Amino acid sequence: MNNFPRLLAATLAPLLAAAAALVGVPAAASAATDDVTWTVRTASNSLGADRTNFSYALNPGAHLDDGIVVANRGTETVELDVYAADGYTTSTGALDLRLAAEAPVGVGKWIVVPEHHVSVPAGQTVEVPFTVDIPADATPGDYAGGVVTSLTVADQSANVNVDRRLGIRTGIRVGGDLAPALAVEGLGVDWDGGLVPFLFGDATVHYSLHNTGNVSLTAGEADVVAGPFGWGEVTAAPGEPAPTLLPGESWQRDVRVPAVAAMGLVWASVTATPTVTDASGSTSDLDPVTASAMGWAVPWPILVALLLIVAAVVFGPRWLRARRRRRQAAEDARVAEAVARSLAEKEEVGAPTA
């Protein structure tokens, strides 16, 4: 197994680098706070020396032993909890680790730290061993997590307990059939342009990149918005590249596309090219994945105003004629009533008396 760290370090390098802010760089790490007075590094053993992280390529059912070294740089003994946790990609694109209270399902479950609590005297180092056991029925693919040291301290000013964590990134590739795959899902397009027809406005393309395979990957993207029959095609790309996505993870995109003509309908198309890294560190692009959707590019206020004008032109004269007829009918009825009343009065005056 001596080659495992070298093989997988290159494979998981993009993924693991995203967690630098959490777990420290390189292998020995510390935090710039008075509450964190210790550092951590990988143990030197048959798996390698001066490793920057824990990275393993193991088949289902495999077992290995490793360790993390904790050094106390402070002047007092430090009492630490040690455990393994699963990793996930945050909304900012960084790799973070689950809290100790969250039940692990991957790396955090397969790495077992027998010594859950360690006491490190001031100025000394302690090596904490752990084991890695891959279940016989483990699904092939990439998994990320970390081995964590944790110190809970009380923040008197805020009246809360603060969990200070320092750990080392851990990546595991379980051998078997690797099937990288990416999907573009939930594609939609909105247009919020100007008020005048056939002028320009901005469109926003919404979609998510979903890693539907079992291998971590990145993706390069290109977004296209065009009018009917491909008229007025405009191409844009996200401002920031998508992070490395673990299997099953999704990344939401909202890409602004400028200068899209108001031609009634617009078509949005997204092309994403997945990129994977093999054990040698070489990257390979997979076949591009495309998706498309239709949206409206209509200046609604002006359209409503035009419809009102058309309605006034078409129905206005009819309404006026109908109103005149109603008024004429009312006048005719009033005149007829007056004539009838006058005739009735004359008949009463001319009638003979008894």
Side-chain angles (χ1 to χ4, degrees):
M1 297 182 192
N2 293 348
N3 291 328
F4 289 159
R6 289 191 295 274
L7 287 173
L8 207 44
T11 304
L12 299 179
L15 169 67
L16 299 176
L22 171 67
V23 297
V25 176
S30 62
T33 171
D34 294 337
D35 294 321
V36 179
T37 60
W38 73 97
T39 62
V40 293
R41 67 175 186 269
T42 60
S44 296
N45 49 38
S46 60
L47 297 173
D50 298 325
R51 293 171 289 167
T52 58
N53 51 65
F54 297 116
S55 53
Y56 312 108
L58 299 170
N59 291 322
H63 166 91
L64 64 78
D65 299 304
D66 208 337
I68 183 173
V69 176
V70 184
N72 185 355
R73 308 302 184 188
T75 58
E76 298 180 357
T77 298
V78 63
E79 305 287 341
L80 301 172
D81 293 323
V82 186
Y83 60 92
D86 292 340
Y88 68 99
T89 303
T90 68
S91 60
T92 62
L95 181 70
D96 203 348
L97 299 179
R98 303 289 181 186
L99 299 177
E102 299 183 62
V105 296
V107 171
K109 184 177 183 180
W110 300 341
I111 294 179
V112 177
V113 184
E115 192 175 353
H116 292 294
H117 185 83
V118 61
S119 178
V120 186
Q124 297 188 27
T125 61
V126 173
E127 180 173 335
V128 182
F130 61 82
T131 61
V132 182
D133 289 282
I134 308 300
D137 60 350
T139 302
D142 290 340
Y143 299 83
V147 180
V148 184
T149 59
S150 170
L151 173 66
T152 301
V153 296
D155 186 338
Q156 301 295 342
S157 60
N159 195 28
V160 295
N161 290 329
V162 179
D163 184 14
R164 306 294 188 188
R165 299 196 298 170
L166 197 62
I168 297 179
R169 308 181 296 272
T170 304
I172 299 177
R173 170 166 286 184
V174 177
D177 292 332
L178 300 180
L182 181 72
V184 178
E185 299 176 343
L187 178 62
V189 57
D190 298 325
W191 186 85
D192 56 359
L195 299 179
V196 182
F198 304 107
L199 292 188
F200 297 92
D202 291 343
T204 303
V205 182
H206 312 277
Y207 61 95
S208 63
L209 299 174
H210 183 194
N211 184 350
T212 57
N214 60 5
V215 177
S216 300
L217 51 77
T218 59
E221 306 149 70
D223 300 348
V224 175
V225 175
F229 310 106
W231 294 337
E233 181 175 293
V234 182
T235 301
E240 296 291 335
T244 299
L245 297 177
L246 293 170
E249 289 186 334
S250 295
W251 183 252
Q252 181 63 40
R253 283 297 204 191
D254 296 292
V255 181
R256 198 78 166 173
V257 183
V260 176
M263 292 186 287
L265 295 175
V266 291
W267 278 262
S269 175
V270 175
T271 300
T273 303
T275 301
V276 296
T277 305
D278 61 23
S280 66
S282 300
T283 59
S284 300
D285 290 340
L286 305 180
D287 292 336
V289 178
T290 61
S292 59
M294 184 185 72
W296 294 100
V298 178
W300 294 110
I302 290 296
L303 181 61
V304 171
L306 290 175
L307 290 175
L308 291 175
I309 292 172
V310 171
V313 171
V314 173
F315 298 104
R318 297 182 183 179
W319 178 80
L320 290 175
R321 288 194 297 269
R323 185 184 182 195
R324 283 196 296 267
R325 285 195 297 269
R326 288 195 299 272
R327 292 179 62 181
Q328 186 63 46
E331 180 65 17
D332 293 344
R334 185 186 68 79
V335 171
E337 182 181 357
V339 170
R341 187 168 53 250
S342 177
L343 292 175
E345 292 173 354
K346 290 181 179 181
E347 290 179 356
E348 291 179 358
V349 171
T353 58

